Amino acid sequence: MHIPTLEAIADITLSATDKGLPARAGGMTIRDFLASQPTLDEFWTPLLVLDRENLSRNIGALASWCANAGFELMPHGKTSMSPQLWAEQLAAGATGITLATMGQVRVAREFGFDSILLANELTDPLAVQYIAGELNNSGLEFLCWVDSVEGVAALEQALEGIELRRPINVCVELGAAHGRTGARSVAEGVAIGRRLAAAPKVRLAGVGGYEGALAHDRSPAELAAVRAFLRAQLELHSALKEFYDSEPAIVTVGGSAYFDLVAEEFAEAMAADRRTRWVLRSGSYVTHDDGYYREVSPLADTGAGADPGTLRAAMHGMARVLSNPEPGLALLDGGKRDFAHDWGLPIPMGRAAGLGQAMEPLAGAKVTAVNDQHAFVEFDPATALPVGSVVQLGLSHPCTAFDKWRFIPVVEQPGSNRVVDLLPTYF
């Protein structure tokens, strides 16, 4: 079914092929299903569940932080691939959506999003031609990256014979040794910028990069690597000023782990240069998590108070005990195909007799392995974890949580049984 607008999402028809949904949902539209006041205890396990209270809290918290720090926010939409959540982020003040692939860009365009940052290189000729058509025939504001003069040449070659009303905006991507893409030195970045400035159908728009690829914790050495990268970005931005045109340049960085360091390192330059657009691209904050980001995010809620400016996990896995084959071992009905596991195994956080029921703490339990459809939980044999009971799982890394689910139920608040929304994803 073609769904051309956000409003039309409510007209999607559900079916028995949609994992986790109640059997009665088959044949109903999302609108009719939600009007029937569904409850979580109708759903099947395994299941990914979001909660509205913390989603709204997180969206508001980072929007406020960015406004206070002087950043634009173009959140990374690849985290959720949920146009509904993107729209909420824009309504809270975001100026656009960041995406990672041209397939994701096409999804965003289908839903009418018209301010898009592709935090990646654009080299596929067909994708380049698609963007050229969008720039010629719509009000799309589009920005992508390049990290080599060869990349600039690939753009130019794909644009041969195409008349453009507006050039493609391109940032020089700066990287670092042992990171991902990106020029490996400021000197290389300057050479790329010079080539961009001379190309007739593209425009040197600024500098981009991703500091999160250079660190994985908050140890002194990791933080020093992030700071060094951010300073190099500023150096490159300064070196490119002679090649910029009269339009405002962009400096964009981006994860959900070190944006406090970005604010510290950029503060002086931002105060001196009000013309440049300083853009943050954090994405995982929208749900936060109970693993990696709980440990490294500067806004992670510590549980010490009710500060609305902190982030709380808004997603959890729900899985049912299938078997107690040995004392102190339970096998759950959810595994790699259901829950994020790439940045840490799921974390048993609570247990209940069934979905939608109050969770009791599950202290000392640990997921030791996951297969395609099973999770191995070791627990104190004195603790009751009987066959058929439900375990709530904390997850680590939102970017590999959403992609396993076509429809994700949203409950009213943590621990609620009332389902208030059903979000489709477009991976």
Side-chain angles (χ1 to χ4, degrees), residues 186 190 234-244:
V186 171
V190 172
L234 292 177
E235 182 182 350
L236 177 58
H237 174 52
S238 180
L240 290 177
K241 286 182 177 179
E242 65 175 294
F243 302 112
Y244 290 147

Side-chain angles (χ1 to χ4, degrees), residues 276-298:
T276 293
R277 295 172 57 192
W278 304 89
V279 178
L280 195 69
R281 303 189 312 275
S282 308
S284 293
Y285 78 94
V286 69
T287 59
H288 196 50
D289 70 16
D290 287 303
Y292 176 72
Y293 286 110
R294 185 178 185 180
E295 296 297 322
V296 302
S297 171

Side-chain angles (χ1 to χ4, degrees), residues 8 15 32 43 72 118 161 164 187 200 226 264 278 283 304 314 338 340 370 415 424:
S15 81
D32 291 340
F43 285 71
E72 284 186 47
L118 176 67
L164 275 178
V226 171
E264 291 173 14
W278 304 89
D338 310 296
V370 287

Side-chain angles (χ1 to χ4, degrees), residues 38 46 111 156 227 235 246 251 275 290 298 363 369 410:
F111 281 97
E156 290 184 296
R227 289 185 185 277
E235 182 182 350
S246 60
V251 176
R275 180 173 172 76
D290 287 303
V410 182

